[in-house]
Amino acid sequence: MTETGPHEPEVLAKVRAHNERLKRGFANVLRTEAQHAGSALDPGTLDDLAGFLATATQGLWSLSRSVDGPEPLHAFADTLIDLIRRRITP
């Protein structure tokens, strides 16, 4: 995704399909986790959070290519999880 441009239709289609699959997967997990926490996410919030997570994971992947150890990745993931928990917990 970060190494090719949107001017390549085949690549663009694959990147979009990948991002949508990630987003759907995150939406499923978020819905389930919210239910377990005794909360219900409205569809707009669910879609926004799923899109945020899909984008954040791409950022995490990019970051992983530029650090020497796991510490910055763990810090990012911990912060990300904390933010999501705050949004889905009543």
Side-chain angles (χ1 to χ4, degrees):
M1 181 167 93
T2 60
E3 296 177 8
T4 60
H7 59 277
E8 298 180 44
E10 283 184 34
V11 173
L12 180 59
K14 287 182 181 184
V15 168
R16 285 182 176 164
H18 172 72
N19 286 338
E20 281 304 311
R21 184 171 176 247
L22 274 177
K23 191 174 171 181
R24 282 192 313 272
F26 282 126
N28 289 334
V29 170
L30 289 167
R31 187 180 305 106
T32 300
E33 289 299 314
Q35 289 170 347
H36 285 144
S39 179
L41 295 174
D42 67 81
T45 299
L46 181 65
D47 190 60
D48 289 346
L49 288 174
F52 172 76
L53 283 171
T55 301
T57 58
Q58 297 298 330
L60 182 60
W61 178 83
S62 292
L63 178 62
S64 75
R65 298 169 60 95
S66 65
V67 296
D68 293 328
E71 294 82 11
L73 305 174
H74 290 170
F76 181 92
D78 290 344
T79 301
L80 182 61
I81 291 167
D82 182 59
L83 289 170
I84 295 301
R85 280 192 179 134
R86 290 174 191 231
R87 290 292 302 268
I88 66 172
T89 304

